[in-house]
Amino acid sequence: MKLLQLTDIHLTTPGDTIAGRDPNANFERALAHALDRHADAEALFITGDLSDWGEAADYARLRETIASLPLPVHLCIGNHDDRATFVSVFPELEGEGGFVQKVVPLSLGHAIVLDTWGPETHAGHFCEGRAGWLYRQLQSLPGPVWLFLHHNPVALGVPPMDEIMLLDAARFAATVEPFADKVRHIFHGHCHLPLSGSLHGIPFSAPRGTNHQGWPDFSATRMLSGSDLPESYSVIFATPTTTMVHMVEFGYSGEIRVENTPDYADWDKQTMVR
């Protein structure tokens, strides 16, 4: 099974930029790059911050864009989004309790899209209602299960970022812990950083976003840090026993060198490119 993950696309009014980059153009570039090289992916997940200001016009353009794609697209909402506005454009995605959550059948198990949005905050939330819904899905679904959400459920060790992580992380952890043998991987965004780790033995990962990027300043006490690192997305390969996640830096414009063959006999000082 092959899946694609884009995150933090931050669509804006056409012509507006973020950190000197055009998020609309970079979203289009990410889609073109991913679909040109991974046309066999069975689904694309976009893990939040779909719009930079939660505006209906951004969601309308997103809806038009993904309607023309040759694979299913599944959307999470993030802290820059607005749930009511999003649902006004994507009414079919409003789930139980008004949350943007759903189960997605895949060729290998199921994905679950989670809603960690909260009003007037950049931090993530996972209330008892959302936790109860997730628990029931995990209880009833056969494995493997793949979870997609916006906010990071584990602290980074970067104080300003940790202020806006999933604040109900303990509730989320307690919900997934009984199903650690069933939940294969957790995919999130929000941090604009390449991240990996585990929660109760469940691996998680995040790529950088498709537009502007973060920087892990571990000495920061108040302000978030940004960088000019390349725009990225993830390619996910899965088999019944393995999971591999690549972060593809489609924004990299440098040289891609051919260095040598993988054959051991070819590796010597005369032929190796150094």
Side-chain angles (χ1 to χ4, degrees):
M1 178 177 74
K2 181 190 285 190
L3 305 174
L4 299 171
Q5 180 196 6
L6 274 62
T7 196
D8 296 275
I9 62 176
H10 285 266
L11 300 182
T12 59
T13 300
D16 288 354
T17 61
I18 304 172
R21 300 180 182 184
D22 183 338
N24 302 313
N26 278 323
F27 175 53
E28 297 285 352
R29 288 176 61 218
L31 290 175
H33 192 280
L35 294 176
D36 178 61
R37 293 159 176 80
H38 306 286
D40 56 339
E42 68 179 71
L44 164 63
F45 293 82
I46 307 179
T47 48
D49 283 356
L50 307 172
S51 167
D52 195 43
W53 293 101
E55 295 177 337
D58 295 335
Y59 297 134
R61 283 185 287 105
L62 174 61
R63 185 179 187 104
E64 181 179 2
T65 297
I66 65 176
S68 64
L69 298 182
L71 79 176
V73 180
H74 307 288
L75 305 174
C76 300
I77 56 173
N79 51 291
H80 278 258
D81 293 304
D82 180 81
R83 185 191 290 132
T85 306
F86 174 81
V87 168
S88 72
V89 178
F90 291 93
E92 73 279 10
L93 298 185
E94 183 176 18
E96 182 180 310
F99 298 113
V100 181
Q101 303 192 137
K102 66 177 182 177
V103 174
V104 179
L106 298 171
S107 63
L108 183 59
H110 295 78
I112 300 180
V113 172
L114 296 174
D115 181 335
T116 57
W117 183 87
E120 299 182 359
T121 176
H122 288 298
H125 295 269
F126 196 67
C127 61
E128 291 184 3
R130 281 174 274 195
W133 180 86
L134 175 59
Y135 186 89
R136 292 191 298 274
Q137 309 316 309
L138 292 175
Q139 198 171 39
S140 62
L141 290 171
V145 174
W146 317 85
L147 299 183
F148 290 84
L149 68 160
H150 179 67
H151 290 85
N152 52 303
V154 173
L156 273 63
V158 178
M161 282 301 306
D162 291 344
E163 288 185 29
I164 58 172
M165 64 176 284
L166 185 65
L167 297 186
D168 299 317
R171 178 180 288 123
F172 177 79
T175 303
V176 301
E177 181 182 12
F179 306 100
D181 61 339
K182 184 182 289 189
V183 179
R184 176 73 71 83
H185 202 97
I186 299 168
F187 301 93
H188 70 85
H190 185 49
C191 305
H192 298 244
L193 294 168
L195 299 169
S196 62
S198 65
L199 174 63
H200 290 307
I202 304 168
F204 66 79
S205 64
R208 292 199 294 266
T210 60
N211 191 66
H212 49 298
Q213 313 308 335
W215 182 263
D217 183 354
F218 298 101
S219 65
T221 58
R222 177 60 183 161
M223 303 301 291
L224 301 170
S225 299
S227 71
D228 291 323
L229 291 166
E231 303 90 342
S232 307
Y233 63 85
S234 285
V235 180
I236 302 149
F237 296 94
T239 73
T241 58
T242 66
T243 306
M244 174 57 68
V245 183
H246 291 265
M247 187 180 75
V248 179
E249 296 175 305
F250 72 93
Y252 173 69
S253 58
E255 180 185 3
I256 306 296
R257 295 179 296 276
V258 175
E259 294 194 336
N260 208 348
T261 76
D263 295 331
Y264 182 81
D266 292 336
W267 288 46
D268 58 56
K269 289 183 178 181
Q270 285 69 46
T271 61
M272 288 288 285
V273 177
R274 286 289 182 264

